[in-house]
Amino acid sequence: MTESRPSDSTASPSPLPDDEAAAALLLRLAGEAGPGKSIGPMDAALALMPKDEWQRALPVVRRVAVRLALEGRLMIYRKGKAVDPTDFRGVYRIGLPRDE
């Protein structure tokens, strides 16, 4: 006899955060981290979505971080160095612009 599991199809995923909410959160978190510090995209995604759905917010976080970096409001860092927001790969962090 096969064990049946209750269907969880009634639970729909949470809506993705809109870009403006994500932008406000990124700017707030980066400001709270302070100068010379950065936040990970996972931190922002966890603040935007329920714990079991945060990964779905990562593309929104990245898109908004790139937009804010292009506007000069945030920087995208990789291995502690600022990178071109239109051309980066892999692990990255988000922070306020540094005076260098």
Side-chain angles (χ1 to χ4, degrees):
M1 180 173 201
T2 307
E3 184 179 316
S4 67
R5 295 179 183 214
S7 173
D8 202 33
S9 61
T10 58
S12 59
S14 300
L16 289 174
D18 66 61
D19 285 9
E20 292 314 308
L25 179 77
L26 285 175
L27 291 167
R28 182 175 61 81
L29 291 176
E32 289 173 358
K37 303 288 183 181
S38 61
I39 60 166
M42 179 181 157
D43 301 323
L46 280 166
L48 288 167
M49 298 284 288
K51 252 188 173 173
D52 59 339
E53 298 182 36
W54 66 270
Q55 291 170 315
R56 294 180 48 238
L58 287 172
V60 175
V61 169
R62 184 181 176 104
R63 178 177 64 244
V64 171
V66 166
R67 186 189 88 206
L68 292 171
L70 290 171
E71 293 172 2
R73 298 169 71 191
L74 288 179
M75 296 292 290
I76 297 176
Y77 297 98
R78 188 157 154 66
K79 297 182 179 180
K81 296 180 182 175
V83 296
D84 179 352
T86 62
D87 185 33
F88 68 98
R89 297 175 138 187
V91 177
Y92 67 99
R93 298 196 49 91
I94 304 160
L96 296 174
R98 296 179 187 155
D99 295 328
E100 293 181 358

